[in-house]
Amino acid sequence: MANNQHEKEAFRGTGGLLLTLGIELVLYALIMAIFLDHGGTTLIIDVILAAAAIVYFKRNHALADKISATLAANRKAAWIGVIVLLLAVPFVLQASAYWLFIVITAGLFMMACLGLNIQLGSTGMMNLAGAAFQAFGAYTAGLLALNYGLPTWLTLLAGALVTGLFSILLFIPVLKTKGHYLALVTIAFQFMVVILVENMEWTGGPQGLKNIPLMNFFGYSFNEPLNLGFITLHKYANYYYFTLLLLFALGIAAHRIYHSWVGVTAATIRDDEVAAQTNGVQVNKWKLTLFVLGNCFIGLSGAFYSHMVGFISPPNFAFDKSLVMVSIVILGGMDNVLGIILGAFLLIILPEKLRFIQDYRFMIYGIVLIVMLIFQPRGLLPFVPRSYAELIQRYRHKLLQGKKAQGGQEA
Amino acid sequence: MNNNKILYTQDLSIHFGGLVAVDRVNIEVQRNTILGLIGPNGSGKTTIFNMLTGLYIPTGGNFFFEGESLLGKPPYEIARKGIARTFQSSRLCLDLSVLDNVFIGMHPRQKHWLTSAVFRRSALAEEVYQAYEKAMHLLNIFNPELVKRSSEPAGRLPQIDRRRVEICRAMAMSPKLLLLDEPSAGMTPEEITELMNDIRKVQQESEDITIIIVEHVMSVIRTITDHVVVLNFGRKIAEGTFHEISHNPEVREAYLGKRG
Ligand SMILES: Nc1ncnc2c1ncn2[C@@H]1O[C@H](COP(=O)(O)OP(=O)(O)O)[C@@H](O)[C@H]1O
Ligand SMILES: [Mg+2]
């Protein structure tokens, strides 16, 4: 039924396909131009264009609906387009490794925020200790690699899992407190962790850990330029592609969790714990599970960071970073996987371009957050109702095939 | 005979500080009947429901469901034993879709969680399909319109449909005992008539269901209940058929005293 609707309202056939790819290409060009432009002119032009587009489409709902229907109808092509364009990023940014690095950093924030979103967005558990959990992942990976020479794949995995395990420590207070108190407890935890790391000897104290081995998978070192035969990309391209791979995997996992019973359960706990309990939900068990799961994502991003930069110290995991993570989730859209991508782009990449506002960065975050919470508390992206269409379609298909097979046997 | 009592309480009591909200109440509910629980505002009806569902821990007495004491059990465990409820002021998740609200009622029966969600989608697909059929079936019994609007946020529905969805959610648990707390609150007389039909449908839908209903609207109590218990200031002051209690002088006084 949904498909018929798309066909009715969408631009059809090749036109629709070209429109889809065209939109992607134009958006991509506008974004890449921001990086390539040494000044800020492109950014200003883009902001004006974006504002104009928003105003225009607010007035022209019909066209906006038609375009989104077209995108939906050409979903496969749209995804292929997105993947190709994302794969091309290191080529486009060949001359500016710095921006590639920033893009990877944003990717790591996305990774962490996918986890934070499971906690805050889906289940309603405020976690202002994101950076502290990143520290768990980063130090675990760093120490294991430095002291025991473990391979990267294992230290990354350990970084994620150890962070998940340690988050059980914070969990007892998480269970006993709610709302603002929970926020305070996680802030306290954040400061405790940083102070501990700063004052313990085996974490390297204020100097942190140096010379952490960079990523190396089964003999392939990420520290060498990426030689593709026809072109040699900067060594960051290795990290970029790996981030992309992880983000796709984690993004799909998060998306699937959202569209499942786990998503329903989490949302019910968030919206009404009493209703959840009286419907048989073991609220504490689920909160613990999802809190740990979210922190595994965050820990992984920390472990990744330590193996990319090779040097970590307490200021890398300070409170302001936790604030940025929460801001990304709130800005992009609570309980919305795509919103995380948008939020990280707006809060990590854009400010990097706006160097002149660096000093006011946190003030601007604050203003953005306050404005969002007042006018658009569910985030920039609209709420996505959980859809079971894909799963149901899948099962119906299986049923039909089963019947056909049976019919064949009988005949 | 004993086997026919699905639920009974023994001197069930609770006090909040100095206030005795429920005072040594003994209730027996026969299987497959509808019990009406009435009494003036503040007489302890909702509090009894809260104790029966584990949200409040009684400070005295005990209660038995299917012969087993559930005293001190957490709400989720009581729900899993087969006691479902609705709330006086609706507790739907208004931002979630109608369907999601019904799905949460099936939570205890669902088997496919995190690993299936991520790695074994086809196993989850079968369970989702069955849950979907069941939810649509339930919604359709109450109001075919709800089937059409099943993917809309519950908050967009009119009051009466929200109540229906809440009852559907409770029914999705396939409970043995259903507690309805003032389901007609805020409804027009026509809607109340519809609601009574809905409750009958609930009874027909399930072979084994017992209902306790808290209600202010006497026509509802008169029409659908088999037995009525009257509370006043936390105490049971009378019980019997509607006819019996409506001629009981103490009951009349309790009501007239409050309302008159
Ligand atoms: N959690 C609570 N804390 C203190 N007093 C309560 C609580 N819950 C109920 N009460 C009191 O218990 C009494 C019975 O309330 P309730 O069961 O809601 O009455 P009703 O019969 O109208 O449903 C009231 O006096 C109410 O104020
Ligand atoms: Mg009440």
Side-chain angles (χ1 to χ4, degrees):
Chain A
M1 213 173 74
N3 275 334
N4 290 341
Q5 265 178 4
H6 291 319
E7 274 162 31
K8 249 181 244 163
E9 297 157 11
F11 292 103
R12 292 177 182 210
T14 333
L17 181 66
L18 287 179
L19 180 71
T20 304
L21 297 179
I23 290 174
E24 283 179 357
L25 204 59
V26 169
L27 284 177
Y28 186 72
L30 289 174
I31 292 169
M32 288 300 145
I34 300 177
F35 301 141
L36 296 174
D37 177 4
H38 288 292
T41 336
T42 316
L43 179 59
I44 294 168
I45 294 175
D46 279 2
V47 169
I48 294 170
L49 284 176
I54 289 171
V55 172
Y56 181 78
F57 284 122
K58 279 235 152 144
R59 295 201 180 153
N60 278 291
H61 271 297
L63 185 61
D65 289 346
K66 206 166 173 180
I67 289 177
S68 61
T70 309
L71 290 177
N74 291 290
R75 232 171 78 188
K76 242 189 197 150
W79 272 111
I80 293 174
V82 166
I83 290 170
V84 169
L85 292 175
L86 286 176
L87 287 176
V89 167
F91 294 81
V92 179
L93 298 182
Q94 172 75 327
S96 45
Y98 170 74
W99 280 106
L100 194 53
F101 181 80
I102 298 298
V103 170
I104 300 168
T105 310
L108 294 184
F109 267 102
M110 286 173 201
M111 197 183 294
C113 290
L114 281 176
L116 182 60
N117 183 47
I118 293 176
Q119 304 168 337
L120 173 60
S122 308
T123 325
M125 293 181 285
M126 180 49 104
N127 178 3
L128 274 163
F133 286 115
Q134 259 189 336
F136 276 113
Y139 277 88
T140 302
L143 286 169
L144 286 177
L146 278 173
N147 297 341
Y148 303 102
L150 293 187
T152 311
W153 67 268
L154 197 56
T155 54
L156 288 181
L157 195 66
L161 295 181
V162 168
T163 308
L165 283 180
F166 264 98
S167 61
I168 298 174
L169 273 186
L170 180 58
F171 197 68
I172 294 157
V174 166
L175 272 188
K176 301 235 150 132
T177 48
K178 269 179 211 159
H180 308 304
Y181 295 103
L182 177 55
L184 286 178
V185 166
T186 57
I187 292 174
F189 184 79
Q190 161 76 47
F191 281 101
M192 265 167 42
V193 168
V194 172
I195 290 170
L196 271 179
V197 169
E198 219 155 7
N199 287 291
M200 285 188 307
E201 220 150 87
W202 54 283
T203 55
Q207 272 81 43
L209 300 178
K210 287 190 204 68
N211 301 322
I212 300 168
L214 299 177
M215 282 190 201
N216 188 317
F217 289 94
F218 311 105
Y220 179 78
S221 167
F222 276 22
N223 208 25
E224 308 291 325
L226 177 58
N227 189 346
L228 294 175
F230 60 98
I231 188 171
T232 301
L233 296 170
H234 191 272
K235 68 171 184 185
Y236 285 150
N238 294 311
Y239 292 99
Y240 172 81
Y241 287 126
F242 189 42
T243 315
L244 200 59
L245 183 75
L246 286 178
L247 272 181
F248 258 94
L250 296 178
I252 289 171
H255 173 85
R256 289 182 165 190
I257 290 170
Y258 178 78
H259 294 278
S260 80
W261 301 144
V262 182
V264 184
T265 304
T268 308
I269 292 173
R270 176 193 64 209
D271 289 356
D272 193 334
E273 251 179 57
V274 171
Q277 286 178 321
T278 54
N279 281 289
V281 177
Q282 286 172 272
V283 171
N284 291 349
K285 180 188 114 179
W286 278 106
K287 279 187 168 176
L288 176 63
T289 309
L290 296 170
F291 193 67
V292 169
L293 181 69
N295 283 331
C296 286
F297 282 45
I298 299 177
L300 179 65
S301 72
F304 191 115
Y305 181 82
S306 75
H307 280 306
M308 175 171 74
V309 179
F311 164 66
I312 50 175
S313 66
N316 291 134
F317 307 103
F319 180 54
D320 53 4
K321 217 172 171 195
S322 297
L323 272 182
V324 173
M325 290 183 201
V326 168
S327 310
I328 289 174
V329 173
I330 292 178
L331 181 72
M334 300 273 245
D335 213 4
N336 187 328
V337 172
L338 279 182
I340 302 303
I341 313 291
L342 179 67
F345 179 80
L346 292 177
L347 287 185
I348 306 298
I349 298 188
L350 284 194
E352 204 59 42
K353 192 73 203 178
L354 304 171
R355 277 270 136 150
F356 56 92
I357 59 155
Q358 271 306 320
D359 294 343
Y360 304 100
R361 192 162 166 167
F362 283 97
M363 195 183 87
I364 293 177
Y365 282 176
I367 294 172
V368 166
L369 268 195
I370 291 170
V371 170
M372 285 298 296
L373 287 174
I374 293 174
F375 294 105
Q376 193 89 9
R378 282 201 148 269
L380 284 177
L381 290 190
F383 164 70
V384 187
R386 223 174 301 284
S387 155
Y388 303 94
E390 183 218 314
L391 283 171
I392 289 166
Q393 210 69 10
R394 185 174 183 152
Y395 188 69
R396 286 212 175 114
H397 189 73
K398 209 170 109 186
L399 275 187
L400 273 182
Q401 279 190 331
K403 270 189 194 147
K404 264 186 209 156
Q406 258 189 358
Q409 275 172 5
E410 279 164 23
Chain B
M1 190 60 198
N2 218 19
N3 204 17
N4 259 344
K5 271 191 297 193
I6 187 165
L7 177 99
Y8 64 97
T9 67
Q10 278 178 349
D11 289 337
L12 194 65
S13 316
I14 190 168
H15 55 81
F16 300 104
L19 175 87
V20 182
V22 174
D23 190 10
R24 286 164 289 156
V25 168
N26 292 296
I27 299 178
E28 264 186 41
V29 193
Q30 304 301 317
R31 195 181 290 276
N32 293 327
T33 61
I34 300 186
L35 175 85
L37 189 57
I38 65 172
N41 271 329
S43 58
K45 306 177 298 288
T46 300
T47 305
I48 287 181
F49 275 11
N50 286 343
M51 289 191 280
L52 295 180
T53 48
L55 294 176
Y56 291 170
I57 308 286
T59 49
N62 202 341
F63 66 102
F64 296 83
F65 177 67
E66 304 251 61
E68 179 193 0
S69 167
L70 297 185
L71 188 72
K73 296 255 190 289
Y76 75 85
E77 212 176 308
I78 291 179
R80 283 158 187 243
K81 298 272 180 201
I83 303 182
R85 74 175 289 182
T86 65
F87 292 87
Q88 187 169 350
S89 51
S90 154
R91 290 200 97 115
L92 285 182
C93 300
L94 297 182
D95 287 338
L96 301 190
S97 70
V98 171
L99 206 48
D100 279 354
N101 273 290
V102 180
F103 279 160
I104 200 67
M106 303 178 197
H107 178 96
R109 281 189 171 62
Q110 285 154 350
K111 293 193 190 67
H112 290 284
W113 297 99
L114 270 173
T115 41
S116 297
V118 179
F119 302 110
R120 298 179 58 225
R121 298 293 277 180
S122 54
L124 178 64
E126 177 169 0
E127 198 172 70
V128 166
Y129 178 80
Q130 280 156 4
Y132 177 82
E133 296 281 299
K134 180 172 178 181
M136 288 304 187
H137 172 74
L138 281 171
L139 290 170
N140 189 49
I141 294 174
F142 286 90
N143 182 359
E145 186 69 16
L146 286 173
V147 171
K148 278 187 225 147
R149 304 184 66 175
S150 64
S151 53
E152 283 182 37
R156 283 203 214 141
L157 298 178
Q159 201 62 38
I160 180 167
D161 280 336
R162 287 190 203 173
R163 296 243 173 228
R164 286 174 166 148
V165 173
E166 212 182 347
I167 298 175
C168 280
R169 176 173 79 183
M171 288 304 292
M173 271 175 58
S174 307
K176 295 186 197 131
L177 177 65
L178 174 63
L179 312 178
L180 300 172
D181 198 349
E182 296 200 27
S184 78
M187 288 188 183
T188 65
E190 294 79 39
E191 287 176 333
I192 290 175
T193 315
E194 283 183 49
L195 179 84
M196 282 193 278
N197 288 328
D198 288 344
I199 293 171
R200 287 211 186 85
K201 285 179 200 160
V202 167
Q203 233 186 348
Q204 285 157 10
E205 182 59 21
S206 167
E207 280 163 20
D208 176 21
I209 189 148
T210 309
I211 300 173
I212 306 181
I213 180 169
V214 166
E215 203 30 273
H216 274 308
V217 180
M218 284 306 142
S219 64
V220 176
I221 295 292
R222 189 183 58 226
T223 328
I224 66 167
T225 61
D226 302 298
H227 194 81
V228 183
V229 167
V230 190
L231 294 177
N232 196 19
F233 293 114
R235 293 205 176 172
K236 183 170 86 175
I237 56 167
E239 70 177 307
T241 61
F242 181 79
H243 184 80
E244 285 162 7
I245 59 115
S246 60
H247 290 86
N248 181 318
E250 206 179 338
V251 175
R252 294 187 145 222
E253 197 192 302
Y255 270 88
L256 290 177
K258 274 272 166 192
R259 299 230 160 138

